[in-house]
Amino acid sequence: MDRRTRLPSDLAWILLWCAVTAAAFLFLGYHAKATARVVLLSLGGVLLLLTGALYRLHNWARWATAGLFALMALFRLLVMLRSGFKGSSAAMALAMAWWAWYLLSPSTKKLFQESGGVRLDRTSAIVFGGTIVVTIGGAIGLAMLGVPAWGAIGVIVAGVVAYVFVEERVRRRINAWFAPRPADLDREAWRTFREARRARAAGDGAGAEGLAAKLPASRSADLFRQVLAMDAARREGTLRRLVFDASYTPGVVARAVVARETQSGDPLGLVDERTRLIDALFEDESQDRPAMAEELEPLMERLSDQVFSRNADLQFRTWWEAARPRCTGGRQAAWLVSRLLEAQCHEAALLVARRSDDALLIEFAALARVLEDAREAKVGPGWFLSHADAISLHPEISDLFGLLYIDQPNVALRGHAWAAGRARMRIALVRFVRRFMDDYAENSWIEPPYLLAALTGARQRVFRAGPRFDAFWAASGPAQERHDAAMAEGFEAAGREEWEAAEVAFGRAVEAWPGRSTAEYNRAMALVELDRAKEAEELFLRRAAAEPKEPLFWVRIGDCRRNEGRVDAAVEAYEKAKALGGPAEALTARIAMTLAREQRDDQAGAALDKVLGPNPDAAELEGAAAALESEGAWKLAMKYQERAFYESLGTKSDDGDDEDGEMAGA
């Protein structure tokens, strides 16, 4: 590659050490006796050669210098083992070990292999040179004043530490004053550009924007205006700030603002704008006279929430080469959903997902939104029905509330094909979320692990690391896939009223994932349709033992016993369901119909009167009579028909009773 990289600070310190040490050896060799002169001059020459080769990024020099530092660190440690601990020796050993590790690190290897060289720009030279002059000059001054050696060493160490912590802030100020003129700006424009940069460095965003507006169109001016726009977004609690500031987490009020802006604005356009800004930053960095190269590291830290302690420019470029495909080429929505979920903006994430054509992304965002509502107790009447699409993918909640029970409202209203589609969707969504964790790892430390736990019925801590989930899924995934495939087949067979095939399919689902309530319940209901009430009752009894507080299973147990003609046992089951909180009126009506079927009219009538209340109207009485006829209780049905007839006579007119009285008097 021809692109040259800004000289990293660590490599600058290594080059400085090599150059100073080489100069010292050459100086000592020049004044040494003949016996030592050759050795000292040779060492100085080798170090000078290494200095030049390192600056030109020759890979052999990296290995040779790393080996030299490792040997020197080992030598210092051996000296301390023999003669005792010394602060200066320990500091030197630590520095040598650090530099050896730095030279052998993967990022430095990439720097030497892929970069066309390094450049020492004017700002870096001022910052680095100033640090050297101040620290070494201060140390020499202290030594001349008689301060012990450890004091001088302390000053040097303090200077290095200060350099590490204040380098970027000092660099930004110096760069605003002394950075070279970009190649695409003439001198007049450069003066305005420099004034604008000084205003930005001083925190005067409005002044910087006013000066930037006067600049002619050029690559450097356009880039600077984009950076100012990003600075302005940082002062606002809006969607734009969330996109351009990776460390920003909005509060509750700001989340509502983000949702409104997502609905009314162009959120995917903001993602494209962010991509263009990062591309422009790296394009500028590759120029011989860049405009914003010194701001590259802090700007990229803000845009990416990544921090690289070594070779930051190269590391950020490498990161962007991997990250860019995941927020471009139709994947803008996925990246923005990951960022919004990380910021807990679930409503906005769902709005963004619905703008895409990715069905799995929509399912992912919808489930995240629903589970967030559940965590914050934002549930109420009808909540489960209105969010059935998402909740039915959660095995635990779906089983708990019977969302995919074959005779319950969800399936009855939406149809068996809908239920089969929900069964097939879950495994596809698990795979999607797992890929999402890898693709958007920087934004996926909260929601994706939680959703994987919800989708697969396991503990969330298992999924904090992707490989741990992979091991879990390798063990349990095939069985869950068989379960869902069998459930889908069972729903489809039930939709065709092929109950034998449905019972077999639901039975396979029970075997694949034992303990799942939905599969066992649906198999029992298929057995009921096949008039195999005894087998169905056994399954319902098993579910009642597993969930002793659920009344529905006792209702179904009563139905099975009723179909077998075991009236007292059926009534007992219905009473048990009432005691567990089942619908009292509906269960009392069931008891009445069960007793009526066995011609126990007195008991049936008493139970039915409880349901109808003291003043039933004619329509209610006619409905009761029709229900009794369907059970074959003709005698009792006639009584209720008669009551309905007289009730209708008494309500034909508002003064019907008075008319009857007058006729009787006549």
Side-chain angles (χ1 to χ4, degrees):
M1 295 177 63
D2 296 330
R3 179 178 53 82
R4 301 177 68 198
T5 304
R6 186 180 65 171
L7 179 65
S9 300
D10 291 292
L11 186 56
W13 284 108
I14 292 172
L15 290 171
L16 176 67
W17 183 90
C18 290
V20 171
T21 306
F25 277 132
L26 292 174
F27 177 80
L28 293 174
Y30 181 77
H31 295 283
K33 296 180 180 180
T35 53
R37 181 177 300 171
V38 175
V39 175
L40 292 172
L41 291 176
S42 298
L43 289 173
V46 169
L47 285 173
L48 276 181
L49 178 63
L50 284 176
T51 303
L54 284 173
Y55 185 78
R56 296 178 65 84
L57 300 184
H58 289 295
N59 204 43
W60 66 266
R62 178 176 70 90
W63 284 101
T65 310
L68 174 63
F69 287 148
L71 289 174
M72 292 181 66
L74 181 61
F75 174 75
R76 290 287 179 178
L77 290 174
L78 293 175
V79 169
M80 285 191 291
L81 289 175
R82 293 191 59 183
S83 58
F85 177 82
K86 290 183 179 180
S88 58
S89 295
M92 184 61 70
L94 183 62
M96 295 296 107
W98 166 263
W99 286 342
W101 177 77
Y102 165 78
L103 288 170
L104 296 175
S105 65
S107 64
T108 306
K109 177 182 178 181
K110 187 178 180 68
L111 172 69
F112 274 70
Q113 290 179 342
E114 298 185 7
S115 180
V118 293
R119 65 172 187 271
L120 182 62
D121 54 83
R122 186 184 304 176
T123 304
S124 297
I126 293 172
V127 173
F128 193 68
T131 304
I132 294 170
V133 170
V134 171
T135 54
I136 295 181
I140 293 173
L142 289 174
M144 293 176 63
L145 292 173
V147 177
W150 60 265
I153 294 173
V155 171
I156 295 176
V157 172
V160 173
V161 171
Y163 172 81
V164 171
F165 285 100
V166 305
E167 175 196 5
E168 288 302 333
R169 281 178 288 178
V170 173
R171 184 185 292 274
R172 181 175 172 180
R173 290 298 184 96
I174 293 176
N175 195 54
W177 288 85
F178 299 106
R181 177 171 60 88
D184 59 342
L185 293 178
D186 58 30
R187 294 192 177 277
E188 183 64 29
W190 166 232
R191 281 193 288 270
T192 305
F193 185 80
R194 187 168 54 186
E195 290 298 324
R197 294 187 66 169
R198 291 172 185 172
R200 177 175 179 267
D204 183 8
E209 290 174 1
L211 290 167
K214 300 177 181 179
L215 292 170
S218 64
R219 178 188 55 79
S220 299
D222 292 343
L223 174 58
F224 185 65
R225 281 189 280 264
Q226 291 181 65
V227 171
L228 290 177
M230 186 177 77
D231 291 342
R234 198 174 190 183
R235 299 189 292 269
E236 305 169 0
T238 62
L239 176 63
R240 186 179 186 87
R241 179 179 178 184
L242 191 141
V243 170
F244 284 89
D245 188 349
S247 63
Y248 171 59
T249 301
V252 176
V253 176
R255 289 175 201 166
V257 174
V258 169
R260 288 197 299 270
E261 292 184 351
T262 301
Q263 189 166 22
S264 61
D266 182 16
L268 301 185
L270 289 177
V271 179
D272 290 335
E273 186 178 337
R274 171 181 176 269
T275 299
R276 289 193 295 271
L277 172 58
I278 298 176
D279 286 343
L281 285 170
F282 284 113
E283 180 186 0
D284 176 71
E285 189 265 344
S286 65
Q287 304 297 316
D288 290 334
R289 288 189 290 172
M292 304 292 292
E294 298 304 325
E295 282 87 350
L296 177 66
E297 185 174 348
L299 288 173
M300 286 303 301
E301 287 179 2
R302 193 193 310 173
L303 286 161
S304 67
D305 203 25
Q306 303 290 314
V307 177
F308 298 109
S309 59
R310 305 177 311 277
N311 310 321
D313 291 1
L314 181 65
Q315 291 270 58
F316 276 119
R317 182 179 289 274
T318 302
W319 171 84
W320 181 236
E321 288 172 356
R324 192 182 190 281
R326 297 194 291 269
C327 59
T328 56
R331 302 182 69 184
Q332 294 91 328
W335 179 87
L336 187 52
V337 166
S338 75
R339 177 70 184 99
L340 289 165
L341 290 180
E342 182 199 26
Q344 302 295 294
C345 298
H346 294 81
E347 182 180 355
L350 181 56
L351 291 171
V352 169
R354 286 173 175 167
R355 294 193 179 199
S356 73
D357 56 359
D358 189 338
L360 287 171
L361 182 64
I362 297 171
E363 295 280 356
F364 171 64
L367 182 58
R369 165 70 187 281
V370 166
L371 294 182
E372 177 64 15
D373 286 349
R375 286 197 294 265
E376 297 182 359
K378 295 179 181 179
V379 297
W383 183 81
F384 292 100
L385 282 175
S386 60
H387 295 91
D389 278 4
I391 305 172
S392 61
L393 299 174
H394 191 306
E396 184 178 354
I397 296 180
S398 179
D399 281 356
L400 183 62
F401 294 97
L403 298 179
L404 290 178
Y405 285 2
I406 204 166
D407 62 334
Q408 294 303 295
N410 273 325
V411 179
L413 292 172
R414 292 174 170 83
H416 296 89
W418 170 85
R422 292 291 87 193
R424 290 194 172 95
M425 176 61 71
R426 189 180 68 91
I427 296 298
L429 189 57
V430 168
R431 293 170 178 157
F432 174 86
V433 176
R434 178 63 188 91
R435 291 195 305 270
F436 196 91
M437 281 182 66
D438 285 344
D439 289 346
Y440 304 100
E442 66 272 17
N443 297 333
S444 297
W445 61 279
I446 296 179
E447 288 297 335
Y450 178 72
L451 291 183
L452 276 182
L455 287 166
T456 56
R459 295 182 179 179
Q460 183 180 358
R461 63 179 180 83
V462 174
F463 308 135
R464 285 298 183 188
R468 295 181 67 183
F469 168 76
D470 295 339
F472 164 83
W473 194 243
S476 63
Q480 293 196 23
E481 291 185 37
R482 291 195 302 273
H483 169 275
D484 286 9
M487 288 292 291
E489 292 177 17
F491 284 122
E492 290 169 345
R496 299 189 299 269
E497 297 188 359
E498 297 174 1
W499 295 109
E500 289 186 3
E503 188 273 330
V504 171
F506 289 133
R508 292 204 311 271
V510 172
E511 293 173 0
W513 196 346
R516 282 294 307 274
S517 172
T518 301
E520 203 159 24
Y521 181 91
N522 287 347
R523 183 188 180 195
M525 289 305 300
L527 290 170
V528 170
E529 295 290 341
L530 293 169
D531 294 327
R532 292 158 62 180
K534 187 64 178 177
E535 296 174 66
E537 181 185 353
E538 292 176 0
L539 293 178
F540 287 130
L541 283 169
R542 188 186 307 169
R543 291 314 315 159
E547 300 178 49
K549 295 183 179 180
E550 174 54 59
L552 176 61
F553 302 128
W554 285 102
V555 175
R556 295 294 173 253
I557 291 168
D559 292 343
C560 292
R561 292 172 178 177
R562 178 168 173 254
N563 292 340
E564 290 184 305
R566 297 156 56 199
V567 175
D568 292 331
V571 171
E572 180 185 355
Y574 293 140
E575 293 290 353
K576 176 74 171 178
K578 286 171 62 177
L580 291 173
E585 186 174 302
L587 287 169
T588 302
R590 246 184 175 86
I591 291 172
M593 295 301 122
T594 303
L595 293 169
R597 177 180 289 187
E598 297 299 318
Q599 310 303 316
R600 292 159 67 167
D601 292 357
D602 292 341
Q603 293 173 284
L608 195 54
D609 287 342
K610 290 181 182 178
V611 176
L612 294 172
N615 298 303
D617 59 27
E620 291 173 331
L621 291 168
E622 288 177 355
L628 289 168
E629 288 177 355
S630 68
E631 296 293 339
W634 305 105
K635 183 178 179 181
L636 188 59
M638 288 181 63
K639 290 183 178 180
Y640 280 91
Q641 286 177 344
E642 184 178 355
R643 287 179 60 186
F645 173 73
Y646 283 114
E647 184 68 26
S648 65
L649 289 178
T651 58
K652 280 186 177 180
S653 63
D654 293 336
D655 58 346
D657 291 340
D658 293 335
E659 292 177 4
D660 290 343
E662 291 173 2
M663 290 176 65

